[in-house]
């Protein structure tokens, strides 16, 4: 007899189907207790869609936050502060982009110039390039954005100091001032253009100039000398000593002759058209990259502000003190003391200069610098020369170049030419700016973000 199945009298429980997960009860509760398989799958799909949409929304929020931070917040962060005024990251980035373009244009123009010189005189252009410190500087800045950025941030601090002085002096800027700064940048002289076609014996009727007669700004691409001579050696001094003139002439002589074609006659209209074409070409090149129109306009305004402040600081110069000086430049104070001891023992100043001076330019001339305006020397050197007793060898004078042993042969006041006046004005303005920077830094009023390199692109 078959064994009867034991029962408890209780209702039988539904058995789980083979395809029902162990945690289906929890999932069903989460899905809203679907009553059928189709309802369960539909609810699960809705959950997946909502989850996907949530993840996408979160990613969008994160990306938007990063973009807002990079595009709206970071550009307003300070990269430097000068007397309480900020230089923002956005301004810094724009200035770096502008200076990259300007440096590239200067570099290419200088290379073209050196190639022409090399072809004319039959020399190696690479040799000319290696001996050109300005070209080397441009190469370094174009190859490293950090090097360029370091120069730019220093320039921007100086520009802000100049702008603050502009405000303190109560100066104002007119459109004509900006136009003059632009003309000066391209070496376009409206007075010279007005004389085109006018006979030398004719009297030119003065016209109202569209630009103010203020002193020009320093050249945007100066070419310093190869030696640490404290006076400019690239411009011949018409009052230099015969020995200096003869030597300069000898160095300038080359084998053979080069025929230079006559300069074509240009009318006033053509001169203005050429100037406008140069401005247009320059601005088009600048605006091809990341530089915006506002940055370009700020550049011309900065040039005009610099001109106005330089003119106010230096003033008009009709007379200047000239001095006939010789010096020996060495690296350390100990070397300078040894040179003075040798001079006291009767050794020749000229021989010591040729043998020991690190200023090889003047050293080859026995240390002679000839007649120069005192204001064109670096400030410590100029101050010593201004007060020195004639013929006395001074104690060592320290400058940025090293230690100088100085002897003033003669000193007198002279009337200056327009070119010398401009050089003196630039020198005085440079000394003033250096003093302003040192004063602000010593007072803790110039701060530069240590992480400024993080804000550079590239």
């Amino acid at each position: 007899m078959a064994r009867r199945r034991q029962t408890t009298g209780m209702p039988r429980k539904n058995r789980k189907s083979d395809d029902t997960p162990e945690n289906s009860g929890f999932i069903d509760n989460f899905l809203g207790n679907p009553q059928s398989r189709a309802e369960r799958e539909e609810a699960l799909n809705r959950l997946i869609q909502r989850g996907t949409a949530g993840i996408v929304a979160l990613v969008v929020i994160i990306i938007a936050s990063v973009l807002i931070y990079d595009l709206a917040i970071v550009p307003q962060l300070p990269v430097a502060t000068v007397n309480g005024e900020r230089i923002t990251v956005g301004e810094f980035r724009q200035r770096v982009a502008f200076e990259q373009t300007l440096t590239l244009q200067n570099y290419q123009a200088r290379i073209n110039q050196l190639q022409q010189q090399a072809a004319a005189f039959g020399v190696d252009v690479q040799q000319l390039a290696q001996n050109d410190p300005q070209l080397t500087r441009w190469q370094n800045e174009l190859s490293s954005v950090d090097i360029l950025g370091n120069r730019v941030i220093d320039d921007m601090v100086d520009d802000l100091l100049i702008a603050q002085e502009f405000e303190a002096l109560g100066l104002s800027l007119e459109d004509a001032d900006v136009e003059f700064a632009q003309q000066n940048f391209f070496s376009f002289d409206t007075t010279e253009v007005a004389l085109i076609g006018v006979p030398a014996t004719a009297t030119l009727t003065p016209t109202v100039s569209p630009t103010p007669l203020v002193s020009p700004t320093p050249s945007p691409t100066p070419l310093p000398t190869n030696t640490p001579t404290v006076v400019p050696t690239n411009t011949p001094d018409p009052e230099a000593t015969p020995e200096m003139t003869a030597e300069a002439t000898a160095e300038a002589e080359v084998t053979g002759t080069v025929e230079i074609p006559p300069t074509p006659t240009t009318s006033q209209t053509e001169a203005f058209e050429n100037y406008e074409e140069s401005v247009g070409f320059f601005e088009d090149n600048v605006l091809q990259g990341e530089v915006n129109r506002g940055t370009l306009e700020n550049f011309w305004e900065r040039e005009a502000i610099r001109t106005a402040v330089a003119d106010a600081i230096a003033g008009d110069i009709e007379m200047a003190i000239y001095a006939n000086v010789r010096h020996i430049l060495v690296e350390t104070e100990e070397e300078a003391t040894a040179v003075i001891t040798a001079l006291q023992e009767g050794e020749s100043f000229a021989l010591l200069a040729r043998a020991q001076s690190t200023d090889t330019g003047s050293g080859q001339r026995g240390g002679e610098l000839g007649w120069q305006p005192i204001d064109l020397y670096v400030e410590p050197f100029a101050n010593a020369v201004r007060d020195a007793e004639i013929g006395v060898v001074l104690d060592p004078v320290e400058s940025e170049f090293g230690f100088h042993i100085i002897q003033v042969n003669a000193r007198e006041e002279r009337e200056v030419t327009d070119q010398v006046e401009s050089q003196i004005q630039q020198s005085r303005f440079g000394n003033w700016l250096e003093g302003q920077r040192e004063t602000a830094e010593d007072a803790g009023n110039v701060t530069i973000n240590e992480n400024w390199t993080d804000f550079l692109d590239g």
Side-chain angles (χ1 to χ4, degrees):
M1 180 174 175
R3 186 176 178 182
R4 295 184 61 184
R5 192 173 181 182
Q6 186 177 1
T7 64
T8 61
M10 299 294 291
R12 295 180 62 184
K13 294 182 178 180
N14 293 330
R15 295 187 178 184
K16 295 180 179 179
S17 62
D18 294 339
D19 59 347
T20 303
E22 293 294 331
N23 60 347
S24 62
F26 170 77
I27 294 176
D28 288 343
N29 289 333
F30 188 75
L31 296 177
N33 295 314
Q35 298 301 312
S36 66
R37 182 185 185 92
E39 291 178 351
R40 187 172 184 275
E41 289 178 352
E42 182 180 356
L44 186 60
N45 288 335
R46 285 199 303 269
L47 178 63
I48 292 173
Q49 291 173 357
R50 290 172 182 172
T52 303
I55 293 173
V56 171
L58 180 61
V59 171
V60 170
I61 291 172
I62 293 174
I63 294 175
S65 299
V66 171
L67 289 175
I68 291 172
Y69 179 76
D70 286 342
L71 299 178
I73 297 177
V74 170
Q76 300 304 318
L77 296 176
V79 71
T81 305
V82 181
N83 293 323
E85 291 191 54
R86 302 192 315 165
I87 299 172
T88 67
V89 171
E91 294 168 337
F92 176 58
R93 285 173 171 172
Q94 273 289 298
R95 182 70 175 271
V96 169
F98 174 83
E99 293 293 340
Q100 278 180 323
T101 304
L102 186 61
T103 299
L104 179 59
Q105 289 190 38
N106 289 334
Y107 176 81
Q108 292 173 337
R110 184 59 176 158
I111 286 292
N112 291 337
Q113 186 181 30
L114 292 180
Q115 288 175 339
Q116 293 174 1
Q117 292 178 1
F121 297 106
V123 297
D124 183 11
V125 67
Q126 293 297 329
Q127 182 179 357
L128 292 178
Q130 291 174 357
N131 294 327
D132 192 323
Q134 183 64 74
L135 193 64
T136 300
R137 179 190 135 186
W138 289 332
Q139 286 176 324
N140 292 336
E141 290 184 347
L142 291 172
S143 62
S144 171
V145 70
D146 286 1
I147 294 176
L148 176 63
N150 186 63
R151 194 259 294 174
V152 167
I153 203 167
D154 276 340
D155 288 349
M156 294 186 77
V157 170
D158 288 346
D159 289 339
L160 192 48
L161 286 169
I162 295 170
Q164 290 169 351
E165 184 68 15
F166 182 86
E167 295 291 334
L169 292 173
L171 301 175
S172 59
L173 205 60
E174 304 293 338
D175 291 342
D177 301 323
V178 178
E179 176 64 20
F180 178 79
Q182 189 177 83
Q183 291 173 353
N184 188 67
F185 181 82
F186 290 98
S187 301
F188 182 75
D189 191 328
T190 54
T191 302
E192 291 183 0
V193 173
L195 293 172
I196 294 177
V198 178
T201 57
T203 301
L204 180 67
T205 302
T207 57
V208 178
S209 173
T211 58
L213 296 177
V214 294
S215 59
T217 58
S219 169
T221 55
L223 298 176
T225 58
N226 295 332
T227 64
T229 305
V230 292
V231 297
T233 58
N234 57 336
T235 302
D237 182 7
E239 297 175 329
T241 59
E243 293 79 8
M244 293 172 62
T245 304
E247 181 176 340
T249 303
E251 291 176 351
E253 291 179 356
V254 294
T255 304
T257 60
V258 178
E259 293 185 2
I260 301 176
T263 303
T265 303
T266 304
S267 68
Q268 293 184 16
T269 301
E270 290 173 334
F272 274 100
E273 289 177 350
N274 291 339
Y275 162 68
E276 291 174 355
E277 183 179 346
S278 297
V279 174
F281 178 79
F282 171 79
E283 293 189 346
D284 288 344
N285 280 344
V286 168
L287 296 175
Q288 281 180 356
E290 301 175 1
V291 180
N292 57 45
R293 172 65 64 174
T295 299
L296 179 59
E297 292 175 353
N298 288 339
F299 170 67
W300 300 126
E301 290 178 2
R302 284 198 312 273
E303 292 292 299
I305 289 173
R306 177 181 285 264
T307 296
V309 174
D311 191 56
I313 295 297
D316 295 330
I317 302 168
E318 296 181 357
M319 305 292 292
I321 299 176
Y322 279 67
N324 187 315
V325 183
R326 61 179 179 174
H327 82 139
I328 300 172
L329 178 64
V330 292
E331 294 183 356
T332 66
E333 189 172 10
E334 291 75 15
E335 290 176 301
T337 301
V339 169
I340 290 178
T341 300
L343 290 172
Q344 291 172 344
E345 293 175 352
E347 293 198 35
S348 166
F349 193 106
L351 291 178
L352 286 171
R354 292 189 180 95
Q356 299 192 32
S357 182
T358 58
D359 178 5
T360 55
S362 66
Q364 293 174 356
R365 300 188 295 269
E368 297 290 344
L369 296 172
W371 284 98
Q372 294 289 344
I374 291 176
D375 284 294
L376 297 187
Y377 293 116
V378 292
E379 193 167 16
F381 193 100
N383 292 337
V385 170
R386 186 176 289 108
D387 301 328
E389 183 179 348
I390 302 301
V392 175
V393 176
L394 304 182
D395 291 334
V397 175
E398 184 179 8
S399 78
E400 59 191 273
F401 300 108
F403 290 84
H404 306 264
I405 298 91
I406 303 170
Q407 185 179 41
V408 179
N409 301 319
R411 186 173 51 233
E412 63 186 35
E413 190 175 37
R414 296 181 183 178
E415 199 172 318
V416 300
T417 63
D418 290 342
Q419 181 181 7
V420 171
E421 179 185 18
S422 177
Q423 292 173 343
I424 293 175
Q425 285 173 330
Q426 293 179 35
S427 178
R428 289 181 180 178
F429 174 69
N431 290 335
W432 168 84
L433 181 57
E434 184 178 349
Q436 289 290 102
R437 180 74 178 258
E438 289 179 357
T439 299
E441 288 178 340
D442 292 343
N445 293 332
V446 174
T447 57
I448 297 177
N449 190 330
E450 294 181 354
N451 299 325
W452 64 265
T453 55
D454 296 340
F455 303 121
L456 290 169
D457 298 325

